[in-house]
Amino acid sequence: GYTRPVIEEIKVYATRLLIGPDASSTAIKSATPLRDLPVSVEIVGTEIIESAQFSEFAQVLDGYTLASSTPGERGLFEQIVLRGFTDTPYYRNGLNDSLGALPVHDLANVESIEILKGPNSAIYGPGEPGGSVNFRTKQPQMESAHAIQAGFGQHGRFRTEVDSTGPLNADAGVAYRFVGASENADSFRDFISSDRRFAAPSISWQPDDKLKVLGAVEFIRHEALFDSGTVAVGGRFPLPRDRYLGEPD
């Protein structure tokens, strides 16, 4: 007669890979686990930002999310595409930060980035159906911590960052945090270079577990030449890719 073959037991082990926190405060304005949200949310945490040495938001989008970035005003401003829509609103700690032309976001003081996709983002402000982006910044801490780091890359890029936090008045629940960054870089394009300075001081007051007041200021200065690119003739680029056609002065 027929004998059914015996299959040995097979065990499969897997480790869940998280690119950020498993809870979001963007979708419904409260810290809710992602599995309980009926909307699409992507979160990139500080571990990814720091380990990959990202300094600009577009680098995070291209590497770890399904969103994409497009060149803004000659490369000096950000333009994010969510589900085909380009007028993506920005928030910083839940407050609207998309007024006027936005320079390239520096990530030195960013704790995590929450990307809410779809028309659900319209209930919090601008009615763009593509979605919205919320930057959660690093908060002042009552425990003192200080860090400084430096890095370099191609085309003469050199960047330094400093991060300092601690109590100003421990009895009153007052703490501070200062994050600063400086970056210089050249380019593969003739005459093109950039010089960026960033500073973000903040102070928090937390008298009890139910109340916390945060005051924060950000300053960014980005100096660079406008670069409109090169020209195409008959679908081809006759000029060298490093040729700059603007006025270098």
Side-chain angles (χ1 to χ4, degrees):
Y2 175 76
T3 301
R4 177 176 298 179
V6 178
I7 301 177
E8 297 182 358
E9 181 181 7
I10 300 176
K11 295 183 179 180
V12 178
Y13 299 91
T15 301
R16 182 184 180 191
L17 176 62
L18 290 176
I19 64 172
D22 58 357
S24 170
S25 61
T26 296
I28 60 175
K29 298 296 183 180
S30 65
T32 305
L34 294 180
R35 64 177 180 273
D36 297 334
L37 294 176
V39 295
S40 178
V41 179
E42 283 186 295
I43 302 179
V44 179
T46 183
E47 297 85 359
I48 292 297
I49 297 175
E50 293 180 354
S51 63
Q53 294 295 300
F54 288 139
S55 62
E56 296 180 4
F57 181 38
Q59 297 171 333
V60 176
L61 289 180
D62 295 338
Y64 288 93
T65 73
L66 297 179
S68 61
S69 63
T70 60
E73 183 64 27
R74 299 179 180 179
L76 296 182
F77 300 95
E78 287 182 332
Q79 190 173 49
I80 307 305
V81 179
L82 283 177
R83 295 189 173 180
F85 296 89
T86 58
D87 294 329
T88 302
Y90 293 91
Y91 297 86
R92 190 162 295 266
N93 296 322
L95 299 178
N96 195 341
D97 189 35
S98 55
L99 300 177
L102 293 175
V104 175
H105 281 87
D106 197 289
L107 302 183
N109 72 325
V110 173
E111 184 76 22
S112 64
I113 303 171
E114 302 175 341
I115 303 174
L116 174 60
K117 301 182 205 175
N120 293 282
S121 63
I123 64 178
Y124 301 119
E128 289 301 322
S132 63
V133 177
N134 182 45
F135 295 90
R136 296 181 62 186
T137 60
K138 298 176 181 178
Q139 304 292 305
Q141 304 295 324
M142 294 303 297
E143 182 178 350
S144 295
H146 314 281
I148 184 171
Q149 62 179 7
F152 61 91
Q154 62 180 351
H155 306 304
R157 178 180 179 269
F158 183 75
R159 178 179 175 87
T160 58
E161 292 184 9
V162 60
D163 187 355
S164 177
T165 186
L168 289 176
N169 189 328
D171 295 334
V174 180
Y176 81 93
R177 190 157 195 163
F178 177 81
V179 179
S182 173
E183 181 175 326
N184 303 92
D186 293 323
S187 171
F188 69 93
R189 304 268 292 164
D190 292 337
F191 309 111
I192 300 299
S193 62
S194 64
D195 182 8
R196 184 166 59 194
R197 301 290 185 269
F198 176 78
S202 59
I203 296 178
S204 67
W205 173 52
Q206 188 170 3
D208 53 48
D209 296 337
K210 298 181 180 180
L211 175 64
K212 183 177 182 180
V213 180
L214 174 67
V217 177
E218 290 188 11
F219 168 81
I220 185 169
R221 186 187 71 182
H222 190 183
E223 297 181 358
L225 279 177
F226 282 142
D227 187 6
S228 299
T230 185
V231 296
V233 178
R236 299 190 178 189
F237 301 96
L239 299 178
R241 69 188 191 108
D242 58 356
R243 181 71 53 82
Y244 178 64
L245 302 179
E247 173 55 52
D249 294 329

